[in-house]
Amino acid sequence: MSANQLVLLACLAVAGVLLFGLVNMMRGGSANLSQRLMRLRVLLQFVAIIVIMGVVWWRAA
């Protein structure tokens, strides 16, 4: 898997969880599920930032 694909996968994971959480909230779904999804989004954002910074560092080396 190339670095570009890894960054894309990380960003798509964040976007997917964000959209799923927003749809759940707009439909009046479970508040607990929305809370878990938003926490997962924050975790995935952290992972995405680490991946992006790793790719930038690796390409600069």
Side-chain angles (χ1 to χ4, degrees):
M1 180 177 280
S2 74
N4 289 339
Q5 290 173 334
L6 194 59
V7 169
L8 180 63
L9 180 66
C11 291
L12 287 175
V14 171
V17 170
L18 174 63
L19 288 175
F20 188 62
L22 289 174
V23 168
N24 184 56
M25 284 192 301
M26 290 187 335
R27 289 187 176 172
S30 168
N32 288 334
L33 178 60
S34 291
Q35 185 72 294
R36 273 191 244 134
L37 288 170
M38 292 303 113
R39 287 179 183 165
L40 178 60
R41 178 189 52 86
V42 169
L43 176 66
L44 288 174
Q45 282 179 322
F46 174 73
V47 171
I49 290 170
I50 297 299
V51 167
I52 292 167
M53 293 306 295
V55 168
V56 168
W57 176 78
W58 180 67
R59 287 187 176 171

